[in-house]
Amino acid sequence: MLKIIFTTTFLISLFTPVRSENFNEYTQCEWISEVLPEASFKQKKHVEGLARSLRRADLIYKDKVIRSIVYGRTLGYAIDYWNLEGGISRENGRVNIDKRGGGRLVFFVSDKNIPVRSFSNYSESYKIKPKKVLLVGLGSLLYRTTVMYEFRRDGLSQALEGYWTMNDKC
């Protein structure tokens, strides 16, 4: 009888779908390249256990994820930065992100490309909603990767070094 119960339990477990955590669900926030509108960054939903100051996004071109990035603001200094996401894991309820490379992230608040940090009263700048973003050094970091060889002729290299317009959902 015990064999039948264990065998039945085992067989049921084979056909039960395994639920794994999806770290790649998107929000409605998207940054679209001004140079190459087919290229965009789609912001991912927040993962429980990850610092609130960190955000994640995928660089998508021709419906293909090129790379994932992590971006945020350093504690106390208000310096915006980005890194390539090397991997993500969960240990003891905490999310760990492997970060590689990276550079500065510059937010702009108008069509005239005025950086957020250029306001004399920076303490009030949190009320201003950014409209554009520039990821300093992204193109040079990805220039020699195998994925870029595939899309270099399409202008993706130039798009990586250009401005990205944020939609109204950001």
Side-chain angles (χ1 to χ4, degrees):
M1 182 69 175
L2 196 54
K3 266 185 169 180
I4 294 172
I5 292 173
F6 285 128
T7 304
T8 306
T9 305
F10 174 72
L11 290 173
I12 290 172
S13 69
L14 286 177
F15 298 104
T16 304
V18 176
R19 293 183 183 177
S20 62
E21 191 166 16
N22 185 357
F23 291 119
N24 296 319
E25 293 179 10
Y26 296 113
T27 67
Q28 294 180 354
C29 177
E30 187 174 16
W31 308 344
I32 299 170
S33 170
E34 290 185 354
V35 175
L36 191 65
E38 297 86 22
S40 67
F41 278 98
K42 289 188 178 182
Q43 185 175 322
K44 298 177 183 180
K45 290 185 177 180
H46 181 74
V47 176
E48 195 65 39
L50 185 64
R52 277 282 174 202
S53 61
L54 287 179
R55 290 187 169 66
R56 302 167 49 241
D58 281 342
L59 170 60
I60 298 173
Y61 180 62
K62 292 189 174 182
D63 297 323
K64 183 175 182 177
V65 175
I66 306 298
R67 283 305 298 252
S68 296
I69 65 165
V70 178
Y71 63 99
R73 179 172 283 173
T74 58
L75 297 175
Y77 297 105
I79 297 172
D80 296 309
Y81 67 93
W82 66 270
N83 296 105
L84 294 176
E85 183 180 301
I88 188 167
S89 62
R90 186 181 290 276
E91 289 180 29
N92 301 327
R94 184 179 177 152
V95 175
N96 299 317
I97 296 180
D98 179 26
K99 301 177 199 170
R100 300 175 184 170
R104 294 287 307 267
L105 193 67
V106 182
F107 288 102
F108 298 91
V109 294
S110 77
D111 296 332
K112 296 178 184 175
N113 299 336
I114 300 171
V116 170
R117 292 189 61 117
S118 68
F119 290 100
S120 59
N121 188 359
Y122 187 69
S123 62
E124 295 293 316
S125 66
Y126 70 91
K127 296 177 183 177
I128 301 167
K129 192 171 185 179
K131 295 185 178 197
K132 290 184 183 182
V133 66
L134 178 68
L135 290 94
V136 179
L138 179 61
S140 61
L141 190 61
L142 293 181
Y143 184 73
R144 296 190 185 267
T145 62
T146 55
V147 174
M148 288 306 295
Y149 283 119
E150 183 179 347
F151 296 115
R152 187 171 295 148
R153 290 189 190 115
D154 296 345
L156 187 57
S157 298
Q158 289 81 13
L160 294 175
E161 292 292 338
Y163 293 107
W164 300 82
T165 303
M166 303 170 84
N167 69 7
D168 59 349
K169 307 282 193 248
C170 296

